[in-house]
Every structure is written in C-alpha cells, then in structure tokens.
C-alpha cells in the first residue's frame, strides 16, 4: 500500500510567512562587525577564524552581532546565546572536556525522537545556553529546497531558537542548534502546521532516511532514489517517531555503486542501484576518448597536466576484476566478471553507461566504530527490481526488524547482531538461499555450513552408493 | 490494550532503574502476557506517553522510557 498525503502540499510564500523585515535581516555593517567583540574572551576559538576557509567561529560572531542589534521583543531566546556558546566552547578547549550535559526528557508531544536535550553544566557563567536543545528537521529527498522555504525556516529559527543551524547533519537533516524547553512545542507546531515540515529521527528510532540526488540530476541512477526514500519515510512514520528498537536504524539510498550518500558505510540497510545486463558501450565515443577528443573524467582533475589519456593504464589496468581488454580498436568487457565498481564508467561517461535492466542491491549492517570497529554492510540481496510502492522491499524490512527487535540486545546494531549470530542464521531469518555474491569478503571466505536437514539422507547416510561411483 | 498498559505501569513503578529500555519493558510485559507481540506493547507504550504517564528519555543516540515524575524531571 502506498502512502497518500491527507491533503495536497501548499506552496510556501516567504512574503506571507516572514517574521523579519529586510532592515532587520541586514542590520549591521561589515565595519561594525570588524569592531565587534563578544562578551567572553575566546583566544583559542579566534584561531579558528584564520586561514582562507570558512569558519564557524566567524559565522557565530556574525550571528551574535545580528542578534545583539535586534530588539529584545523580536527574539524568544536570549540575544547573547551565540556569545555564551563560544564562551563555553573556549572553556571546553581550555579544560579539555565538554561542558554539555547530554540527554534529557525533553521532546514534543507524541514524538520520541527529533529533539535532543542539551544542558550546560555551567549555567551560572553561560546562562543563555542553560538549555540548548537540538531539533532535527527531516530534509526533503535529495535536499531540494525553494528559497521561500529556506528563508521561512531561518526566520522561524531566529525567532524561536538560537538562529544557529547546521546544514546538514550526517543523516541529512537540517539541525537546529539550541533552544529552550518552552520553545519546543511552538516550533513543532509551526513546522508541522505552517511549513508542512516534519521532524527527523533520533534515538532508538528509524533515522531520517536519506538518498542521493538520483534521477533528478544524475544519469547513472538505476532506480528512483527519491521516490523510494519518500515512500519509505512516510510508510514507516511510526518507527521514525516512536522508538521501540534496540538502537538506531538507518536506510540510505544510492542510485548507483558510486555511493554518493555512502550507504555502504553508514546504513543498517543500504540500497545501491545496479544492473544485471551489460554495460552499454558506444565504441565511437571510446575512440574519441582514446584520440583525446573527449576529456576523461568529464574534465575533472584538469588542474594538472596528466599527459595524454591512456586507456590501458587509466581504465583497463585499473579494472578490479581485470575483465576488460582492447580488441581491434574496440573496448571489450566480460560482463559476468564485472563487479559494477563504476571506475570505467566514471572515467569515460560518454562511452560507457550502466546497463538498461536496472534495480537495487540490498546490503545490511554497516555502522560506525563504537563496538567491534567500523563495519561495511553485507551484500545480501544482489539484485532486486524495485517499483513504487515497493511492497517487496517492505516485506524484507519487516522480516529483518522482527528478528532484530526480538533478538537484539540493548544498543546492539543490526550489523553486530549479524556478527553475533553469524551470516547463515541471518540468511535463514531472511529466507534467502546463500549464493556466491553475498559472502562477507568475496573470494576470501566462502564458507556457508550445511545443516543436517539440508543434506539428502542427513549426515549419517550410507555412502555405499557414492562409493560405487567414486573409488577410494 | 488496557491490560498491557497496566503491566507496563506496574513495571515502570517498581523497576529498580527509573529509566529503562523498550526491551526491558517488553520482557516484563511478556512475563505476565507471554503471547503479546512487541508491536502491541509499543502501541500501549505510545498511548501511555500520549496520556502523559510515561515519558521518553533521549540522549540523542538512544531512547529510553521513564515514568512521569519518577527520577529525573524535565528541567533536571
Ligand atoms: S550515487 Fe550514483 S546515481 Fe546517485 S548521485 Fe551518485 S553517481 Fe549519481
Ligand atoms: S565497472 Fe569496474 S569491474 Fe566493471 S568493467 Fe568497469 S572497471 Fe571493471
């Protein structure tokens, strides 16, 4: 069953939603900024303003000046919140330890995620960040925003929060950094009812699903990453907002093995676009690359002279499975040996394209290094066709969650559970037959053990019949 | 539903820790009602949160449940 919105989305117009006037938004000069000093001394933070790159310290000071010049009734959170933030950061640098107290009961009505409680442990020195709660705002698929939308949420957050935000957190959400407990419900109301915007996931929830830019701009996308991300986000609303998992769980959607959202390294369930037919080759374009008429890598890395393009050295010899060669001036590929690494396609995008029979590979269990070290996800379903409303995918998700919720220990990620029970047990739960493509480390660990009931006659059968055909 | 809620509250009132994982709550309920599904327990817990009897406690990475008014309060 597909998700149906209860009412159509309205178009947002900043003119109708804005809180601040143009004068209020541009309320200081660069000259004033140069002379502006925040109320705390922050020599170590100031070091981070040096150098040619952007600096969050410089940005935070701008915000501090901007807020200082807005009148008090135009802000619901203290105007010097950004100054206290830098003050406490300086102190943490000096002490070599954090001064945040982590976690709390704060939340918004009916939701178990999306709000993360933060409190300063030194509220006497830094009173404006005594409460400094974070909100996660669920980004739209592929992070397409209109400027009307961005301006509107910036105004909302200036008014009801610290004005400081982080685009984007590692799960993709917009992170609102720092507000007080009283402001949480009003922000939640404004986001949901006016800006038609949900919170993202945090805690032992499904985390905000995220996807690569996919078919919106990328010719390599083997399925519609945005449609799938959108559908699963809505379908699993309860899991996103009301925690009942042993720990966090992430879905990430990459349109091809280039893995732009790094699903293979970060998601408990990674969806990676792939194809099962052959790489499509345009031999004329191959020739044009060889003759130097088309720049390799679509012109990237052009800052240095790498010499003439050498297809043997730069493509064929770098193919990880050595399945390419030249024959009579033509590029040949033994597609059944190709692991879909994308290297040759990335180098010669006008000559080579992914196949036309496309779908996804599904992998399970990636995670960051907290327990047992970092882990990439395990290729479990080499190929599956996916079409809206993705019922075949949902069936797999449900099976996997049922097992993890039943057997997972507190704070145990799916990848650790698979490690604890072993891959054969996981495959049994998922009702999948083992196959060569799915072993953890291809070509180094091929062992899948037989169970007695899988062997005709069991382990104790007589081998006389076998011996008749095979002498000792 | 009501009997699951009651089992949850019994556990929440008497548990040694004032904050507990869903898993622990699930086990406690299953002791009294062995055939109940995790999803049913979750529904009951959500209802109790909406009735403001249970609260969520979140560190950002993990979420736990607690009984409103027992242990840590909203403003520390
Ligand atoms: S993962 Fe592949 S399909 Fe998605 S944006 Fe990157 S290159 Fe394109
Ligand atoms: S995609 Fe990778 S493995 Fe496949 S042919 Fe190209 S370089 Fe070789």
């Amino acid at each position: 069953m597909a998700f149906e919105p209860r009412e159509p989305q309205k178009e947002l117009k900043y003119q109708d939603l804005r809180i601040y006037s143009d004068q209020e938004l541009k309320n200081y000069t660069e000259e004033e900024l140069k002379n502006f000093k925040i109320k705390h001394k922050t020599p170590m933070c100031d070091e981070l303003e040096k150098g040619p790159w952007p600096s969050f310290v410089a940005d935070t000071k701008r915000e501090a000046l901007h807020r200082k010049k807005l009148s008090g009734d135009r802000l619901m959170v203290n105007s010097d919140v950004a100054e206290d933030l830098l003050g406490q950061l300086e102190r943490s640098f000096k002490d070599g330890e954090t001064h945040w107290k982590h976690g709390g009961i704060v939340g918004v009505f009916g939701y178990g995620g999306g709000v993360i409680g933060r409190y300063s442990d030194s509220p006497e020195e830094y009173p404006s960040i005594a409460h400094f709660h974070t909100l996660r705002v669920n980004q739209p698929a592929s992070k397409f925003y209109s400027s009307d939308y961005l301006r509107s949420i910036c105004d909302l957050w200036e008014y009801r929060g610290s004005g400081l935000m982080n685009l984007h957190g590692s799960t993709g959400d917009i992170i609102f950094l720092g507000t007080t407990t009283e402001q949480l419900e009003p922000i939640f109301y404004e986001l949901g009812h006016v800006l038609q915007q949900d919170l993202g996931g945090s805690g032992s929830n499904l985390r905000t699903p995220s996807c690569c830019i996919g078919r919106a701009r990328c010719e390599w996308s083997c399925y519609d990453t945005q449609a799938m991300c959108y559908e699963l986000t809505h379908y699993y609303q309860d899991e996103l907002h009301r925690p009942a998992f042993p720990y966090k769980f992430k879905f990430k959607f990459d349109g091809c093995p280039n893995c732009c959202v790094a699903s293979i390294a970060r998601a408990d369930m990674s969806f990676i676009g792939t194809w099962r037919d052959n790489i499509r080759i345009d031999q004329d374009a191959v020739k044009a690359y060889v003759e130097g008429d088309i720049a390799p890598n679509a012109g990237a890395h052009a800052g240095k002279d790498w010499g003439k393009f050498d297809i043997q050295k730069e493509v064929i010899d770098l193919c990880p499975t050595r399945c390419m060669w030249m024959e009579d001036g033509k590029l040949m590929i033994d597609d059944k040996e190709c692991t879909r690494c994308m290297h040759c396609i990335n180098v010669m995008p006008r000559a080579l394209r992914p196949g036309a029979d496309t779908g996804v590979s599904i992998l399970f269990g990636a995670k960051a290094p907290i327990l047992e070290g970092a882990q990439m996800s395990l290729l479990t379903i080499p190929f599956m066709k996916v079409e809206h409303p993705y019922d075949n995918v949902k069936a797999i998700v449900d099976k996997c969650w049922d097992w993890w919720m039943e057997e997972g220990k507190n704070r145990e990620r799916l990848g650790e559970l698979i490690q604890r029970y072993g891959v054969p047990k996981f495959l049994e739960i998922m009702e999948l037959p083992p196959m060569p493509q799915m072993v953890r480390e291809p070509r180094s660990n091929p062992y899948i053990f037989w169970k007695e009931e899988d062997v005709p006659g069991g382990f104790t059968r007589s081998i006389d019949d076998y011996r008749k055909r095979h002498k000792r | 539903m009501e009997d699951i809620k009651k089992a949850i509250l019994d556990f929440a009132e008497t548990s040694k820790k004032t904050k507990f994982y869903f898993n622990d709550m699930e086990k406690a309920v299953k002791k009294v009602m062995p055939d109940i599904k995790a999803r049913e327990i979750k529904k009951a817990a959500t209802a109790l949160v909406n009735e403001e009897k249970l609260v969520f406690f979140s560190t950002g990475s993990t979420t736990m449940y607690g009984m409103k008014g027992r242990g840590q309060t909203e403003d520390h």
Side-chain angles (χ1 to χ4, degrees), chain A residues 102 104 119 203-204 242-243 411, chain B residues 23 42 58-60 62-63 65 74:
Chain A
H102 197 69
Y119 301 87
S204 308
R242 282 164 282 275
R411 297 178 68 89
Chain B
N23 239 345
K42 182 182 164 179
S58 169
T59 62
T62 343
T63 314
Y65 288 78
E74 252 104 296

Side-chain angles (χ1 to χ4, degrees), chain A residues 309-366:
Chain A
F309 174 64
D310 181 343
I311 192 169
Q312 186 66 38
K313 212 169 93 207
E314 292 174 48
V315 180
I316 297 176
D317 290 351
L318 296 180
C319 167
T321 58
R322 298 281 188 273
C323 67
M324 314 178 90
W325 69 97
M326 293 300 284
E327 206 172 294
D328 302 329
K330 287 199 167 140
L331 179 68
M332 312 299 281
I333 300 177
D334 181 1
D335 281 272
K336 62 180 193 314
E337 294 298 329
C338 163
T339 55
R340 278 71 174 150
C341 81
M342 293 295 290
H343 173 69
C344 58
I345 299 174
N346 290 335
V347 177
M348 305 194 295
R350 281 169 70 180
L352 302 175
R353 285 186 296 159
D357 184 7
T358 58
V360 293
S361 296
I362 304 180
L363 300 82
F364 292 87

Side-chain angles (χ1 to χ4, degrees), chain A residues 212-214 218-222 225 253-261 342 346:
Chain A
C212 77
I213 206 154
C218 185
E219 66 197 65
W220 289 328
S221 196
C222 295
T225 55
F253 306 91
D254 277 307
C256 82
N258 275 338
C259 235
C260 290
V261 291
M342 293 295 290
N346 290 335

